[in-house]
Structures are given as structure tokens and as C-alpha cells.
Amino acid sequence: MLLRPLRSWASRALRRDRPRSPASSPGSLGAQRWAWPRDKDRENEKEKKSVICVEGNIASGKTTCLEFFSNTTDIEVLTEPVPKWRNVRGHNPLGLMYQDACRWGLTLQTYVQLTMLDQHTRPQTLPVRLMERSIHSARYVFVENLYRSGKMPEVDYVVLSEWFDWIVRNIDVSIDLIVYLQTTPETCYQRLKMRCREEEKVIPLEYLDAIHHLYEEWLIKGSLFPVAAPVLVIEADHDMEKMLELFEQNRHRILIPEDRKLGP
């Protein structure tokens, strides 16, 4: 007796719950898939906007570069979220990682990936966004170095890689230009000793050398991982005065898309 009403109810429920197109059904599964800022959703928004990432070794001059352009009209600057890495509800995963990378490498890099994803996806309010590093270098340089140096187990490396690959496939973390501040490890080491950040006191020259070679493999040789955008290389071993001159000389190549002729 109950079979016919039950079939009728099930048929109505299936018709009601059948997924429709995102445009016609804001609450459907299809619509939820497009909740992330994908390329098509942001196509018009990004037509007149660009995202530039300043990349380079530790103490290569990234902060100086960002400060130089920070007062320029129509530019928003996002510095690397180091304060967050130093204090996660009272814990300092950055300091812990430098003390014991084997134990804390996954912990730090998981949080780095999260905070860099937040940087990439927050609404852009001005025509140009200048970012210190990116989610790409977090994976291709720093996670890769932990794994290659034997300080990250393969299972941790695989899990982080799976997360990164999912992010790149499903979320818009695209960038328009990479400014690579190319320095020698020795120069970075001398600068590190001068600025005396607490966590960096334990960083040896060998670590800076490893980071340098991974940056070179990624951005110069192109033999390691995909390069997310055109690369503008600026030699950054110079003193402050010379570096400010170089930033000024490259202002248009960095900030104006039409002037980014990055060939030889």
C-alpha cells in the first residue's frame, strides 16, 4: 500500500535535488564548485589588474623592493606574513622549524601554504598588487629543499604536494610577473648577520646556498617546475643606493604590462 506513494515521493525528491546549472541554481553543487575565484569569474576584474611577485633568497632585498614601490599610486603591497608564522595562538612554527626541521617542517609549510593562499585570494582593490614571494615559491623552493635535504619524509612531501596541486587546479593563484632578485648566497649570509632576526641566527650558509640553487633551477634554467609567469631578473648583490637606482630603472617594466619586454 505504501509502495506507490513512496515511489511518487522519491521521484519528486530526485527531480527537486537534481543539480542544475550554476546560473539557474545558486544553491546547487554546481554553484558551490564556482565559489572559488576562478579564471572565468575574474576575467573582467583582472583585465586591468596585475599581480607581481617579488622572489628571491632570504635577505635578497625583497622588503627593500616592496618599500620602494609602496608609496606609488594605485599599488597595494602584501608583505610575506612572517608575523603569523611566528605566532600561531602563542606558538612559533617558524622558530621551531629552524631549530628542528625534521620535526616541524610539515607544520610550518602547511601554515605557510594556508597564509600564502590567503594572500593570493584576498580581493584586489588597486590596479597593481605587489606580493612578497608566493604560494609557488613556497612549494617549489622551500618545501622542495626540505625534501631534498632529507629533512622532510616522503609522505609529508607527497601530502603537501597533493594540497598544492589541488589548489592550483581549483583556485585562482595566477600571477602576471615574477621579479627575481638574484643574489649570491654569500651576500645573503652577510646581510643576515647584520639584521639579526632571532629565528635567522641559526641559518647556515649551506642553507642559503641550497635555496639559491633551487631558485636558479626554477626561474633561470626552467628545469625544475613550471614557471608561473614571465621573469624579470634584477641583480641584487649591490648596496642600498645602487638597488634603489635599479628599482627606479625597472619601474615601468615592473608596473606597466605593455613595457614588460623581458627578452634578451
Side-chain angles (χ1 to χ4, degrees), residues 16-251:
R16 184 172 61 248
D17 294 339
R18 184 177 296 124
R20 289 169 288 175
S21 68
S24 61
S25 178
S28 71
L29 180 62
Q32 291 175 11
R33 287 186 61 195
W34 291 98
W36 294 105
R38 297 294 297 160
D39 287 342
K40 285 187 177 180
D41 295 333
R42 298 179 63 187
E43 208 168 73
N44 294 332
E45 177 189 342
K46 290 195 70 176
E47 276 181 3
K48 296 181 180 180
K49 294 180 180 179
S50 60
V51 178
I52 300 111
C53 292
V54 180
E55 295 283 0
N57 209 334
I58 302 168
S60 60
K62 299 181 299 298
T63 301
T64 301
C65 180
L66 266 65
E67 288 176 349
F68 178 82
F69 290 108
S70 62
N71 293 323
T72 305
T73 305
D74 293 331
I75 291 181
E76 60 182 31
V77 170
L78 298 183
T79 58
E80 211 170 21
V82 176
K84 291 184 177 181
W85 305 344
R86 287 173 166 168
N87 186 0
V88 187
R89 301 186 185 185
H91 300 280
N92 184 351
L94 179 64
L96 290 170
M97 195 281 298
Y98 279 133
Q99 292 171 22
D100 187 353
C102 296
R103 170 63 181 86
W104 299 106
L106 176 64
T107 303
L108 174 67
Q109 291 304 326
T110 300
Y111 195 56
V112 167
Q113 192 158 263
L114 172 65
T115 53
M116 292 309 298
L117 177 60
D118 175 67
Q119 298 272 72
H120 280 281
T121 57
R122 64 178 57 186
Q124 183 171 341
T125 58
L126 295 174
V128 176
R129 168 175 288 174
L130 206 59
M131 287 180 59
E132 185 176 10
R133 290 212 182 102
S134 64
I135 197 171
H136 306 282
S137 57
R139 163 63 186 89
Y140 295 150
V141 176
F142 292 92
V143 171
E144 189 68 19
N145 178 62
L146 283 169
Y147 177 63
R148 285 193 184 190
S149 64
K151 295 176 181 176
M152 175 174 282
E154 185 171 359
V155 63
D156 292 359
Y157 177 75
V158 169
V159 168
L160 276 171
S161 299
E162 286 285 312
W163 264 114
F164 175 79
D165 293 343
W166 186 92
I167 288 169
V168 171
R169 286 194 309 267
N170 292 279
I171 304 175
D172 183 11
V173 291
S174 60
I175 56 181
D176 299 289
L177 178 69
I178 294 172
V179 177
Y180 174 37
L181 302 182
Q182 189 179 45
T183 50
T184 61
E186 292 77 14
T187 297
C188 293
Y189 188 63
Q190 293 302 318
R191 291 175 180 172
L192 271 185
K193 290 196 294 185
M194 291 175 62
R195 73 186 191 186
C196 291
R197 290 180 183 171
E198 188 62 33
E199 295 87 356
E200 296 172 346
K201 290 179 180 179
V202 297
I203 297 178
L205 177 60
E206 291 76 16
Y207 180 80
L208 298 173
D209 189 62
I211 296 299
H212 170 75
H213 283 293
L214 282 168
Y215 262 117
E216 293 287 302
E217 283 187 56
W218 176 39
L219 297 180
I220 302 300
K221 299 176 184 176
S223 59
L224 184 60
F225 294 108
V227 180
V231 180
L232 172 62
V233 181
I234 298 179
E235 293 184 9
D237 275 339
H238 310 289
D239 60 26
M240 176 76 75
E241 184 177 355
K242 178 62 176 178
M243 288 311 305
L244 296 180
E245 289 180 13
L246 289 173
F247 294 148
E248 184 59 41
Q249 290 172 15
N250 286 279
R251 176 184 291 274

